[in-house]
């Protein structure tokens, strides 16, 4: 191994040891099921804000979003206000109700919140359905993150895919199994800080190397098609409207993510929630602006011949000294781990708590939850090694499906309406199913689709920005919940 490679490896080893030490510390604070899944609702502002930000963005923003802007140009920036709007909606609109009700009723998972006013067999049917959806989507989600980790290890150390995936999965499992929500939240806070540092340093290096604003403008003007520098992306009329709404829909999906809403449920008090939002949104502005600058600078420097998801590594390798390159690779792994640990925790909560598995083993709730977590991680590893898909596509499908399944019910309950059990269950299934249908239809090659209804639906499903996959499933779901609403009890 070269000296440069050794420096990168040492940086990563030190970083991983810190994460494991955090897991050991957190293990001492994890005694009950509430401790394991919500840290006993005792999380402060900095941990909540940074861990939320890191979990919602993950490797997707460093690799997927930067690659999306690199490939598509200025029109890709329409996604950013939608994402920031998602932060505001979750923290300012949902946050207080989620935190207050969790404290009053002892909720452990988002499913507890969804079914808070339901009882008996209908409550269990909703919980079981929600758990199956969460596990299905989160296995894809985790696989996307493991794929990103594999890419990092393959690029830097020449490991094969199997070795890289197993190594990345092993590190996450160690500290997540040890300390549950406390370990996940504190390590995510550290990882969020690491990501913010890199989102400042690497774009700055790329910006300077490209010659500043003038050099970037000249480079893009001579090496990209006209629509690349057009904020409309060459779209017009209803196609443009659909594109904008579709990319904004990424932010809408945040309103139904169990691993994100759990951050709001776990905050210790109202001052911490308000301060946590300020921290989270400041992080989001820094990181998304930084990755946009990196993408455009990278396109000006290197032209359009790269796979978008490798741009981050290429710029780091070309422009940074070895020790900083090591920090950058650690940041990628930070981004991966900050989502993998959170969704592993949510998925294990869905199986262990929502499906009532822990009730079969009274007094061993934490042990059963840890076993479930390890099994889910193993399934995700198998998926990673057997299915090929881009980081961006795999994450956004799972994100959209869960958002449409759970977000509408959360909105209704936060507004003070208590939908009937049949309405909650029907809305969940409708939102989820429509997302899956539009996703599958959009993957069919155009030449294999005949006319008629299938042709029309295929045309919708492949519109730029995927508006039908990300937004349309919300509409019938909200309609069902409105039809089954009860009296408004609080605003």
């Amino acid at each position: 191994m070269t000296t440069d490679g050794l420096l990168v490896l040492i940086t990563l080893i030190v970083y991983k040891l810190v994460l494991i030490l955090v897991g050991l510390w957190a293990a001492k604070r994890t005694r009950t099921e509430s401790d394991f899944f919500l840290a006993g609702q005792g999380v402060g502002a900095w941990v909540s804000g940074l861990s939320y930000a890191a979990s919602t963005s993950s490797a997707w923003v460093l690799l997927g979003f930067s690659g999306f802007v690199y490939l598509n140009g200025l029109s890709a920036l329409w996604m950013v206000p939608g994402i920031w709007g998602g932060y505001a909606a979750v923290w300012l609109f949902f946050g207080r109700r989620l935190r207050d009700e969790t404290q009053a009723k002892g909720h452990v998972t988002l499913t507890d919140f969804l079914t808070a006013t339901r009882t008996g067999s209908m409550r269990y049917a909703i919980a079981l359905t929600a758990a199956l959806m969460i596990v299905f989507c989160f296995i894809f989600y985790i696989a996307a993150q493991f794929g990103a980790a594999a890419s990092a290890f393959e690029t830097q150390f020449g490991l094969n895919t199997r070795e890289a995936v197993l190594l990345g999965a092993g590190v996450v499992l160690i500290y997540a199994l040890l300390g549950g929500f406390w370990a996940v939240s504190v390590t995510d806070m550290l990882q969020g800080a690491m990501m913010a540092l890199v989102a400042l340093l690497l774009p700055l290096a790329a910006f300077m190397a490209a010659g500043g604003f003038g050099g970037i403008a000249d480079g893009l003007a001579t090496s990209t098609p006209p629509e690349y520098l057009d904020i409309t992306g060459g779209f017009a009329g209803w196609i443009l409207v659909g594109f904008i709404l579709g990319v904004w829909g990424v932010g809408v999906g945040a309103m139904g993510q169990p691993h994100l809403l759990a951050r709001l449920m776990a905050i210790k008090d109202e001052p911490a929630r308000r301060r946590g939002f300020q921290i989270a949104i400041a992080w989001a502005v820094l990181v998304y602006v930084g990755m946009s600058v990196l993408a455009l600078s990278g396109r000006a420097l290197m032209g359009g011949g790269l796979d978008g998801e490798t741009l981050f590594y290429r710029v780091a390798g070309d422009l940074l000294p070895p020790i900083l390159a090591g920090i950058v690779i650690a940041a990628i792994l930070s981004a991966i781990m900050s989502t993998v640990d959170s969704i592993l925790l949510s998925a294990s909560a869905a199986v262990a708590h929502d499906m009532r598995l822990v009730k079969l083993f009274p007094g061993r709730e934490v042990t059963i939850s840890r076993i479930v977590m390890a099994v889910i991680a193993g399934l995700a590893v198998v998926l990673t090694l057997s299915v090929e898909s881009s980081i961006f596509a795999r994450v956004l499908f799972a994100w959209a499906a869960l958002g449409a399944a759970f977000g509408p019910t959360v909105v209704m309950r936060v507004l003070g309406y208590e939908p009937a059990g049949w309405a909650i269950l029907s809305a969940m299934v409708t939102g989820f199913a429509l997302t899956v249908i539009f996703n599958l239809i959009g993957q069919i090659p155009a030449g294999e689709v005949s006319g008629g209804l299938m042709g029309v639906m295929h045309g919708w499903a492949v519109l730029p920005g995927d508006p039908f996959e990300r937004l349309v499933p919300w509409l019938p779901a909200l309609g069902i919940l409105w039809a089954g609403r009860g009296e408004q009890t609080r605003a």
Side-chain angles (χ1 to χ4, degrees), residues 256-323:
Q257 305 303 316
H259 65 296
L260 299 184
L261 299 184
R263 306 294 189 192
L264 281 298
M265 296 170 69
I267 294 177
K268 65 181 180 180
D269 54 34
E270 271 301 291
R273 180 184 66 84
R274 291 191 291 269
R275 181 61 175 160
F277 169 69
Q278 296 170 1
I279 293 166
I281 196 66
W283 185 98
V285 171
L286 171 63
V287 171
Y288 279 92
V289 170
M291 289 302 100
S292 300
V293 171
L294 173 67
L296 296 175
S297 301
R299 184 65 181 256
L301 280 169
M302 302 174 183
L306 298 179
D307 177 350
E309 291 177 1
T310 66
L311 173 70
F312 190 95
Y313 300 121
R314 178 70 178 271
V315 173
D318 287 354
L319 301 182
L320 297 181
I323 188 65

Side-chain angles (χ1 to χ4, degrees), residues 169-185:
V171 173
V172 174
L173 273 176
I174 289 173
Y175 71 80
L177 288 172
L178 283 170
F181 198 92
W182 271 117
V184 165
S185 297

Side-chain angles (χ1 to χ4, degrees), residues 35-47:
D35 291 338
F36 192 75
F37 290 128
L38 284 183
Q41 207 181 22
V43 182
W46 278 97
V47 175

